[in-house]
Amino acid sequence: MNIVDEIFALFECRGDREYFGETVSQRDHALQVAHFAVQDRAKGPLIVASLLHDIGHLLTGEEGMAERGFDGCHENSGNAWLRQYFSPAVTEPVRMHVAAKRYLCYAEPDYLRGLSDASILSLKLQGGMFNEREATNFLAQPYAHDAVRLRRWDDRGKILGLEVAPIESYRELLTCHSRSIEL
Ligand code: FE
């Protein structure tokens, strides 16, 4: 099995899980975030990052951790796993997409008001809004801009019934941006 088949198998067997506290599934959410990335003419690696940004949630057997007051740090587990197969242009926006939320809460007062209840709950567990120093450090990292773009699509990708391209339509893009390692 190659990495793309492995990813599709993860979505196949765990993608029906609820996207924490929202009305859409993990699969719907991932496909919607990738859809918005395509609409915004993101480059290939950032589209791949958008599709896979929450893969850390699918790698674990745990569900509903935020509701139980626990932050599973899915951005770190997702990054650690993806780094075996993808370049930093894919993995860094994944690693930084939670930090991007904390940054946007600091940088844009209106941003916090637009977040869903579930996202506000997880924000608290993830350490809350950045302060000025944390925001500066965040912005100084390569791919911070991509992480912020991904974050805005992430926040929108919760629309019940939105018609988007199926996961199979991303096979070629995923293959082209992954290292060819046979598992
Ligand atoms: Fe997400």
Side-chain angles (χ1 to χ4, degrees):
M1 192 186 264
N2 65 33
I3 181 56
V4 178
D5 289 330
E6 175 86 3
I7 288 166
F8 282 12
L10 272 175
F11 276 101
E12 178 66 30
C13 68
R14 295 183 174 162
D16 289 332
R17 287 179 178 178
E18 171 187 274
Y19 179 62
F20 303 100
E22 313 285 354
T23 50
V24 295
S25 68
Q26 289 282 347
R27 183 189 301 103
D28 291 342
H29 173 65
L31 290 172
Q32 288 184 19
V33 178
H35 166 80
F36 293 132
V38 171
Q39 269 194 337
D40 259 5
R41 301 180 188 282
K43 291 198 173 133
L46 190 52
I47 296 170
V48 173
S50 298
L51 184 70
L52 304 181
H53 75 283
D54 279 339
I55 198 103
H57 286 314
L58 302 184
L59 292 168
T60 97
E62 291 283 341
E63 286 189 79
M65 288 194 284
E67 288 90 334
R68 301 202 307 276
F70 180 69
D71 175 22
C73 298
H74 71 287
E75 70 278 24
N76 293 331
S77 53
N79 168 52
W81 191 74
L82 291 171
R83 277 173 61 179
Q84 303 173 89
Y85 315 108
F86 294 94
S87 71
V90 171
T91 61
E92 282 298 276
V94 172
R95 181 183 69 80
M96 296 167 72
H97 81 277
V98 170
K101 176 166 75 168
R102 301 176 64 193
Y103 164 75
L104 282 166
C105 288
Y106 163 82
E108 300 179 6
D110 281 347
Y111 175 79
L112 185 59
R113 282 193 277 279
L115 289 180
S116 65
D117 291 345
S119 200
I120 289 171
L121 171 64
S122 61
L123 172 69
K124 285 182 191 147
L125 298 171
Q126 289 154 347
M129 178 190 305
F130 274 164
N131 60 33
E132 188 179 349
R133 181 182 52 79
E134 290 168 327
T136 304
N137 290 343
F138 170 80
L139 281 183
Q141 297 176 81
Y143 302 105
H145 180 67
D146 281 351
V148 168
R149 290 183 77 197
L150 195 165
R151 184 74 230 178
R152 294 190 195 279
W153 303 320
D154 190 5
D155 295 327
R156 289 168 60 198
K158 305 170 180 184
I159 302 167
L160 194 59
L162 181 69
E163 290 224 6
V164 292
I167 194 156
E168 190 60 40
S169 68
Y170 293 97
R171 179 177 287 279
E172 202 179 321
L173 187 72
L174 285 166
T175 303
C176 144
H177 289 285
S178 61
R179 298 186 193 115
S180 51
I181 299 171
E182 288 294 320
L183 298 175

